[in-house]
Amino acid sequence: MEKRTLIPAMAVLTLAGCAGPTVNLATSEPIKVDIAMRLDVYQHNRETAKPSTAPEIVSPETARRNRMAEIQEFKNQRLVGEGRDGLLSIRTESPGEYGDYVRKTVAAENRDRMTLMKAQSDKEKVSLAEIQTRQGELWRQRSFRDEWIEVAGPDDTWVWQAKE
């Protein structure tokens, strides 16, 4: 046999060998499963149950994570900036209810940041000022382009500028 006819003949034989017997996966009767289940439903008397009046305690980390999008929106609007002390600073005051909301949110964020920095200071046994300096540098590095950051200027002064 010639080489030209041998290759197609081999291909036909190989493909024909792939067809195997048909396997029937269906069962003659449906599969039966016997399940025993118990369901107890309780209804408590609402008059005797006292609702909790204690405020829900949320960790500073969780609170910060929950408000992360709001803080980023304030930064995008160039309302706030990252200060040299690791805290947010309001750069542009907004009037009315929205301004109150921004001030309240920034105050809560700074309170939580300060709580975490104090805990880190105690843990590492270093001064709070050193932790704040490190956090300020970290937040400046994490900032996005055009966000306000406080940077060291000439003569040991600090100036606000948009991050490049």
Side-chain angles (χ1 to χ4, degrees):
M1 249 188 186
E2 286 186 35
K3 217 177 196 183
R4 284 189 289 172
T5 58
L6 184 62
I7 292 175
M10 295 276 294
V12 169
L13 288 174
T14 303
L15 292 176
C18 290
T22 304
V23 178
N24 186 5
L25 297 178
T27 59
S28 57
E29 290 185 30
I31 298 174
K32 295 180 182 176
V33 179
D34 186 19
I35 297 177
M37 182 184 293
R38 177 179 165 178
L39 175 66
D40 295 325
V41 179
Y42 296 95
Q43 182 174 355
H44 298 281
N45 187 351
R46 291 179 186 234
E47 293 175 8
T48 59
K50 295 181 182 179
S52 174
T53 57
E56 182 181 341
I57 297 174
V58 177
S59 71
E61 295 92 349
T62 302
R64 291 191 61 229
R65 197 174 308 114
N66 290 342
R67 78 172 77 86
M68 190 181 306
E70 296 162 300
I71 297 299
Q72 189 58 53
E73 184 62 30
F74 298 159
K75 289 180 178 184
N76 293 345
Q77 295 173 7
R78 298 178 57 105
L79 299 176
V80 300
E82 291 292 345
R84 68 179 180 265
D85 56 358
L87 300 175
L88 288 174
S89 182
I90 296 177
R91 298 289 306 137
T92 305
E93 291 284 340
S94 297
E97 288 181 24
Y98 187 69
D100 294 338
Y101 171 71
V102 170
R103 283 186 290 280
K104 178 182 167 189
T105 305
V106 167
E109 176 70 11
N110 284 339
R111 189 172 43 251
D112 289 339
R113 285 185 180 191
M114 200 57 145
T115 299
L116 293 171
M117 286 189 283
K118 284 178 183 175
Q120 186 176 359
S121 170
D122 293 343
K123 180 181 174 186
E124 294 182 16
K125 303 207 182 325
V126 296
S127 70
L128 179 60
E130 184 178 333
I131 298 295
Q132 285 186 277
T133 301
R134 281 195 259 160
Q135 288 296 309
E137 180 60 31
L138 178 68
W139 283 110
R140 282 191 299 276
Q141 290 174 0
R142 288 182 178 173
S143 294
F144 295 109
R145 181 184 167 112
D146 291 332
E147 289 181 358
W148 284 113
I149 57 173
E150 195 173 16
V151 296
D155 304 327
D156 294 330
T157 60
W158 290 87
V159 295
W160 286 95
Q161 72 178 32
K163 183 174 180 182
E164 297 177 0

